[in-house]
Amino acid sequence: MLARVLALIVKELLALLKDPKSRMVLIGPPLLQLVVFGYAATFDLNQVPFVVYNADRSAASRDLIAHFTGTPTFHLVATVESLALIPALIEQRKAEMALAIDARFTRDLLTGRPAPVEVIVDGRNSNTAVIALGYANQILSDYAASWAGEHGASAPSVLAVRARYNSNLESRWFIIPGIIALLAQVVTLLVVALTVAREREAGTFDQLLVTPLRPVDILLGKGIPGLLIGLAEASVILVAAVFWFGVPLRGAVAVFYLGAVVFIIAVIGIGLLISALSATQQQALLGAFLFMVPSIILSGFATPIANMPQFVQWLTLVNPLRYFLVVVRSVFLQAASLASLSTEIAAMAAIGCVSLIAATVMFRRRVY
Amino acid sequence: MSVRISRRLRGLVHKEFVQIRRDPSSLAIAFLLPTLLLLLFGYGVSLDAHHVRVGVVVTQPTAETASFTSHLQHSPYFAPVALPDIQAAERAIGRREISAILWLREDFTRKLLAPGGAPIGVMLDGVDANTARIVEAYLQQTWQTWLAARAAESGAPIPGALAVTSRVWFNPAVQSRDYLVPGLIAVIMTLTGALLTALVIAREWERGTLEALMVTPVSLREIIISKLAPYFVLGMGGMAVSVAMAVWLFDVPLRGSFAVLVLAASLFMGAALGMGLLISSVARNQFVAGQIAIIVTFLPAFILSGFIFDIGSMPEPIRLFTYLVAARYFVAILQSVFLAGDVWSVILPNAAALVVMAAIFLGLARLVTRKRLD
């Protein structure tokens, strides 16, 4: 029996790897995605174009502007002579931020009254807006502190902020471990979901049924290639994440692989279920897609689960990707132990059991 | 002659519509998929951090610390959790129960009044770097307003104090949904436009029915038009559903004109259908066509269009690459038309780029299909 399943696994792998188009789909795009998205998917702000309106024109206000131009976050594109010119520049996306310094700026600073400064950001991208405002506030309070220091006064208190696990708050350290999970899921799901449908469309599924293979053997033969390919894909991206992108891998690789195996088995169960339910490749593809997109969105890959409405948060509980993302990120950045991830691994195992049982039941129904 | 040609074309288009009606999966791609995706993204994707759980450790409670924690309590951004000591807080951040620690040390009140003091230690959970940044920005803001309120109460002059007014134009409530939903429409329409044509035509290649069409007197141009026209109608239908949902369900303001929206959408749909046609002609196989459609259209539209990640912050080579992503231009138009209005200096260049993209993709698709016919 083992030999029979092994033969089916070999046949399945050959079918996938011998066909140049399928092979290309398995190897090229995931790597391309890793590189492109690894560099592009960043929330870090660089060179945010901003304009200045300086009604004060004093040494103090010029010093304030120098505080802004001195960071790589902001890039001064224009100095305008009138407040009325700012709206057009922001509307046309020439600038994303405007800094307006009031004519009373120096006078108020010297008399100890709060000196008026206005910061305007383009809210068409609210994420950039909030982060740019955060940076601007930081620069303004640094400026206030240094001004007070130079004038011999006691500086207003500032927050001493530090970040754990990712001290420079690099988005890449968050996104790239996420891509490992994401691509492992995409590749495994497509491989598994389309195999049965392809055989059914080509008519070779009936031939498979007249062989001595039992439905369970067929399931194993279809599922295990998915596991192998998924793990291979995850390993390649893991290596790239560490050696190419320089994301620190602080935890144990064994914990990562344990999580990966459990996760991929859960994905295989879902893939087989989609396969069993669909008669054509188009249906299988649509099914895979209808699972994949929600599972990516509701996983916390790009945006936090905590920001979602409560009922959507409950939905995420049945999403295996959600748990694997926690495993990958904690292993990478927090050096998490197996014990601290037991809830996540148990949840993925439970999803795997349910989906595999459902797939077997659906399969038997289709076969007999 | 021209009458006969148009009758032939009508026949082909009619056949295509009959096929669409009989096969619910294309209708599902055109209408159900955008609806589901928009619901999903609209509710699932949010960058607004509200009620972030922040662990507050107060080593020595005083009137000052009580004033600050109550100030924090009243902020919509934070849900403070009181923790007995810093060790408990460190454990909680390790277990991902809180996103940040605020530590008011024993000398908080004394240092608050002394020069150059930094009486509050903030530790962020840096695993999710973006959320950490937003939390930091909100904390800074809360801290500044508290200091300002204290200063106002005391009435004494504070050297170096700034009165910062911050304003967020076009989206004063800073709702991420208002900018995500318009961008989302572009992402979803890329997907439906390209996937629809890619799968449908690849299926005809697979079944050999397209080759059967080739031996009829129908010209290549007529075949392409007959394939594009029905899916253009379907795609625009999906677009209409998405816009309606954006305006009425998600309450995104539509400040620009509807005509600009329709025009830009038609241009974009031309480019998306062209991509789908090109993919199906190259792949001629549903499995490969579907995969390519998802990988070369959906994911770039998601990540490289500026819909969620800021293009200006990407490294130079990637930024140049985004010029090849049709969704980039459509996202720029959508975000302006929805939130700012008809800003011609944004709309015209981007619309011109869409015309070029549509021409390139449709032209390439035609070229590839012809070559393969020989």
Side-chain angles (χ1 to χ4, degrees):
Chain A
M1 182 220 126
L2 204 68
R4 283 201 300 259
V5 176
L6 203 65
L8 188 58
I9 294 172
V10 170
K11 172 241 147 196
E12 210 57 55
L13 284 174
L14 282 178
L16 273 169
L17 299 178
K18 279 279 176 182
D19 176 23
K21 276 177 181 167
S22 311
R23 195 168 54 209
M24 200 199 77
V25 164
L26 287 181
I27 298 167
L31 287 183
L32 188 76
Q33 281 172 46
L34 174 69
V35 173
V36 171
F37 301 156
Y39 284 112
T42 170
F43 286 116
D44 305 346
L45 292 187
N46 279 315
Q47 304 282 318
V48 173
F50 80 110
V51 292
V52 165
Y53 168 66
N54 185 359
D56 185 53
R57 296 164 196 271
S58 65
S61 60
R62 276 195 298 274
D63 189 33
L64 175 62
I65 297 166
H67 268 73
F68 275 85
T69 52
T71 69
T73 313
F74 295 105
H75 170 65
L76 182 66
V77 288
T79 306
V80 293
E81 297 300 317
S82 148
L83 261 184
L85 294 171
I86 290 177
L89 285 169
I90 288 192
E91 199 175 87
Q92 295 166 10
R93 305 206 135 173
K94 300 251 165 48
E96 280 174 38
M97 192 182 83
L99 179 71
I101 302 170
D102 197 276
R104 293 165 301 165
F105 184 76
T106 310
R107 202 193 64 203
D108 283 356
L109 262 184
L110 290 171
T111 52
R113 266 178 304 200
V117 179
E118 192 173 359
V119 181
I120 299 160
V121 288
D122 180 353
R124 270 173 286 185
N125 182 334
S126 68
N127 192 56
T128 315
V130 170
I131 295 173
L133 268 183
Y135 279 125
N137 273 325
Q138 176 109 52
I139 292 173
L140 288 167
S141 59
D142 285 350
Y143 170 80
S146 73
W147 191 90
E150 280 164 24
H151 291 74
S154 70
S157 318
V158 288
L159 291 184
V161 182
R162 278 186 303 142
R164 288 201 77 171
Y165 313 121
N166 181 356
S167 48
N168 292 325
L169 291 180
E170 285 190 53
S171 298
R172 198 171 285 168
W173 290 14
F174 176 67
I175 297 282
I176 288 179
I179 291 177
I180 298 178
L182 189 77
L183 288 181
Q185 163 163 309
V186 171
V187 170
T188 310
L189 196 70
L190 283 174
V191 165
V192 174
L194 288 165
T195 48
V196 181
R198 190 168 50 209
E199 295 227 29
R200 204 174 269 146
E201 253 189 20
T204 50
F205 197 62
D206 294 331
Q207 290 171 9
L208 212 57
L209 290 183
V210 296
T211 60
L213 289 164
R214 291 169 303 157
V216 178
D217 299 340
I218 298 180
L219 272 180
L220 279 175
K222 293 282 176 191
I224 290 174
L227 180 63
L228 296 176
I229 289 176
L231 280 178
E233 198 89 30
S235 308
V236 171
I237 305 167
L238 178 80
V239 169
V242 175
F243 293 103
W244 180 263
F245 289 105
V247 183
L249 178 57
R250 297 179 179 135
V253 180
V255 179
F256 168 80
Y257 273 103
L258 180 70
V261 169
V262 178
F263 169 66
I264 292 174
I265 289 174
V267 174
I268 288 171
I270 294 162
L272 286 173
L273 192 62
I274 294 170
S275 225
L277 289 172
S278 44
T280 63
Q281 285 191 65
Q282 189 177 356
Q283 285 178 9
L285 197 69
L286 199 65
F289 204 77
L290 282 180
F291 170 76
M292 209 142 63
V293 174
S295 89
I296 293 172
I297 300 310
L298 303 182
S299 66
F301 167 69
T303 61
I305 292 175
N307 292 0
M308 299 170 190
Q310 192 58 51
F311 70 96
V312 182
Q313 290 195 30
W314 285 323
L315 265 179
T316 65
L317 293 176
V318 297
N319 181 6
L321 187 59
R322 170 206 164 126
Y323 302 106
F324 189 47
L325 278 173
V326 173
V327 172
V328 178
R329 285 173 178 154
S330 328
V331 168
F332 260 92
L333 300 178
Q334 293 179 296
S337 64
L338 187 58
S340 70
L341 294 168
S342 50
T343 326
E344 279 75 21
I345 291 177
M348 288 191 290
I351 296 169
C353 284
V354 171
S355 63
L356 281 173
I357 290 169
T360 316
V361 171
M362 290 313 297
F363 228 69
R364 281 174 185 278
R365 202 168 285 167
R366 283 269 176 167
V367 171
Y368 296 120
Chain B
M1 190 65 192
S2 71
V3 177
R4 273 181 56 210
I5 290 173
S6 80
R7 266 186 59 203
R8 225 157 44 203
L9 194 59
R10 249 205 322 256
L12 279 174
V13 172
H14 179 69
K15 169 234 151 203
E16 209 64 42
F17 271 116
V18 170
Q19 216 169 13
I20 290 170
R21 220 173 36 234
R22 290 200 185 143
D23 177 16
S25 68
S26 355
L27 280 177
I29 293 180
F31 292 104
L32 208 58
L33 200 61
T35 313
L36 285 178
L37 287 176
L38 208 57
L39 281 177
L40 185 75
F41 282 73
Y43 287 116
V45 178
S46 164
L47 292 163
D48 306 332
H50 285 294
H51 307 293
V52 177
R53 291 171 64 84
V54 174
V56 182
V57 180
V58 183
T59 316
Q60 199 181 65
T62 60
E64 298 287 352
T65 62
S67 157
F68 181 66
T69 46
S70 100
H71 188 73
L72 204 63
Q73 206 110 41
H74 288 107
S75 155
Y77 303 122
F78 300 111
V81 183
L83 291 165
D85 53 42
I86 194 71
Q87 286 80 16
E90 299 247 351
R91 276 196 302 277
I93 208 168
R95 285 195 303 264
R96 298 172 289 277
E97 287 166 2
I98 53 176
S99 305
I101 303 173
L102 268 176
W103 188 11
L104 314 188
R105 295 175 199 239
E106 59 280 359
D107 49 2
F108 179 79
T109 307
R110 187 175 54 81
K111 273 201 171 171
L112 196 61
L113 309 167
I120 287 204
V122 175
M123 189 175 295
L124 303 164
D125 175 2
V127 173
D128 181 348
N130 190 51
T131 305
R133 280 231 177 79
I134 293 174
V135 169
E136 186 187 346
Y138 287 152
L139 273 175
Q140 288 280 8
Q141 201 185 323
T142 311
W143 176 240
Q144 300 295 343
T145 51
W146 182 68
L147 282 182
R150 265 188 84 244
E153 272 171 34
S154 72
I158 350 156
L162 301 178
V164 181
T165 331
S166 26
R167 285 203 260 164
V168 181
W169 277 356
F170 309 122
N171 187 359
V174 207
Q175 282 194 322
S176 61
R177 189 184 277 174
D178 279 8
Y179 95 92
L180 288 175
V181 168
L184 213 54
I185 295 177
V187 176
I188 292 169
M189 294 333 288
T190 310
L191 183 69
T192 50
L195 197 64
L196 217 56
T197 35
L199 283 183
V200 166
I201 298 172
R203 188 173 56 193
E204 291 228 22
W205 278 114
E206 257 182 10
R207 291 180 181 164
T209 47
L210 206 62
E211 272 163 38
L213 260 185
M214 300 294 176
V215 297
T216 62
V218 175
S219 72
L220 190 62
R221 192 170 52 95
E222 284 171 323
I223 294 178
I224 291 181
I225 293 175
S226 74
K227 287 285 169 198
L228 291 185
Y231 294 105
F232 183 82
V233 173
L234 274 193
M236 291 302 280
M239 174 83 202
V241 171
S242 307
V243 172
M245 281 174 72
V247 174
W248 285 303
L249 184 66
F250 292 115
D251 290 323
V252 179
L254 178 56
R255 302 203 172 104
S257 62
F258 192 67
V260 172
L261 199 62
V262 172
L263 201 70
S266 325
L267 290 176
F268 178 69
M269 194 49 71
L273 293 176
M275 273 192 274
L277 195 64
L278 183 62
I279 290 167
S280 66
S281 304
V282 173
R284 293 193 182 191
N285 165 315
Q286 286 186 71
F287 171 70
V288 180
Q291 290 240 29
I292 298 180
I294 291 170
I295 286 165
V296 310
T297 66
F298 177 67
L299 288 174
F302 194 86
I303 299 190
L304 299 175
S305 66
F307 140 69
I308 188 161
F309 300 109
D310 184 45
I311 292 179
S313 299
M314 294 175 190
E316 191 62 35
I318 306 265
R319 199 158 59 223
L320 291 176
F321 184 75
T322 63
Y323 287 107
L324 300 176
V325 179
R328 172 206 164 122
Y329 307 105
F330 194 39
V331 167
I333 295 178
L334 283 173
Q335 285 183 348
S336 281
V337 169
F338 269 97
L339 297 180
D342 294 338
V343 185
W344 295 110
S345 60
V346 172
I347 292 167
L348 292 179
N350 284 301
L354 282 179
V355 171
V356 173
M357 297 293 279
I360 289 176
F361 282 120
L362 290 171
L364 272 179
R366 199 189 150 148
L367 211 66
V368 171
T369 317
R370 186 207 295 280
K371 273 184 188 159
R372 293 296 192 104
L373 272 178
D374 294 338

